Amino acid sequence: MHATRRALLGAALATPALAQSFPERGVRYIVPFTPAGLTDIMARIMANRLGEVWQKPVVVENRAGGNAMIGADAVAKSAPDGHSLLAITLTHAVNATMFPQAPYNLLRDLSTISILGSLPLLVVVNAASSIRSLDELAATARARTLNGGSSGNGSPPHLGLELFRRAARAGDNITHVPYRGGAPGVTDLVAGNLDFMVSNLPECISQVQAGRLRALATTGEARHRSLPDIATVSESGMAALSMTNWTAMQLPAATPSAIRRQIEAATLSVLAEPDTRRRILDAGFDVEGLDSARSEAFLRAEVIRWGRLVEEARIRPDA
């Protein structure tokens, strides 16, 4: 009994001491995607600045593969001491339903520090298309079969396409054409091999600005600063298509609360800095900076929302 009490007292005293000394060494920030993508860019912005704040290196480590689950699993099973961070996106919320046998549980094994930033998607057609509005695209989809591209099964653009299918009441008239990433799909749309796409904004905006693609609507709540003349889906009468892709920071759920609070405070402080915000905006994101409690609630709501769509649309990794 006395030994147990001493152990508990020792643990209670050790946690604040550990938090005061955090980080004791370099921190790894795992990005479960390839380098140079938006999630990677956001992680590097945060890593560079947090490294300066903590005066310890925060090193981005790209661990792509397994539909972004390999890197997530590595952090979920890492030592819960705050020295392993994870970058996640909407893809991970979808994976929670699409991969029921995943080696980790997103909501149980990982804890969310902050939803860092978000960005909308664009509904786009070839510039030579006769379709000039979201309403015209919906009417065309009800009248004949259309090929709609996405960056892969279960990807945010695929989810957007399925939302559009329902909002437009197009049924089986939309054929989903998945690609391995957004760039090949955009290339095919420019070449005239697709009828439309719901695309991550950064993957198609240069083609829109160059006049090769026509943006019909943005899925964000407000018009995007880079395309102020493009209406939102809500303004276009299709609020059910409202959605954003987002990126968040997580760590192992068993991490002591004192360390979690310290990382959260540093993260929110960095996100509030004008220079950091400018860098994030320049990368195409809107700054969110939700605290841990709101971020956890947001993530749970996203898992429920997209899990319902995955099941209704029978979305499968190889479908």
Side-chain angles (χ1 to χ4, degrees), residues 21 74 116 121 140 206 210 212 227 232 265 269-270 289:
S21 63
L116 304 174
L121 288 73
T140 304
S206 63
R212 300 184 186 94
L227 298 168
T232 67
S269 176
V270 164

Side-chain angles (χ1 to χ4, degrees), residues 85-216:
L85 304 176
L86 172 67
I88 68 165
T89 71
L90 174 56
T91 294
H92 293 86
V94 176
N95 285 349
T97 301
M98 198 163 67
F99 294 93
Q101 303 303 318
Y104 68 95
N105 184 295
L106 179 70
L107 299 178
R108 183 193 64 213
D109 299 334
L110 292 159
S111 177
T112 310
I113 293 295
S114 178
I115 305 295
L116 304 174
S118 65
L119 49 83
L121 288 73
L122 290 179
V123 183
V124 289
V125 297
N126 189 289
S129 172
S130 62
I131 298 171
R132 309 194 70 83
S133 69
L134 196 61
D135 188 59
E136 288 182 11
L137 180 64
T140 304
R142 289 191 293 271
R144 64 178 177 87
T145 300
L146 297 179
N147 291 323
S150 84
S151 53
N153 295 304
S155 65
H158 183 193
L159 301 176
L161 184 146
E162 292 298 336
L163 289 179
F164 175 76
R165 183 198 303 277
R166 285 157 174 71
R169 304 186 305 281
D172 294 335
N173 275 5
I174 293 177
T175 300
H176 173 226
V177 183
Y179 291 83
R180 291 186 178 276
V186 170
T187 298
D188 258 7
L189 184 60
V190 170
N193 298 324
L194 290 172
D195 294 303
F196 77 103
M197 285 188 71
V198 181
S199 172
N200 285 311
L201 183 144
E203 294 169 349
C204 66
I205 188 170
S206 63
Q207 300 288 5
V208 172
Q209 293 172 330
R212 300 184 186 94
L213 295 181
R214 176 182 302 127
L216 305 181

Side-chain angles (χ1 to χ4, degrees), residues 76-88:
K77 291 179 170 60
S78 66
D81 57 10
H83 291 84
S84 292
L85 304 176
L86 172 67
I88 68 165

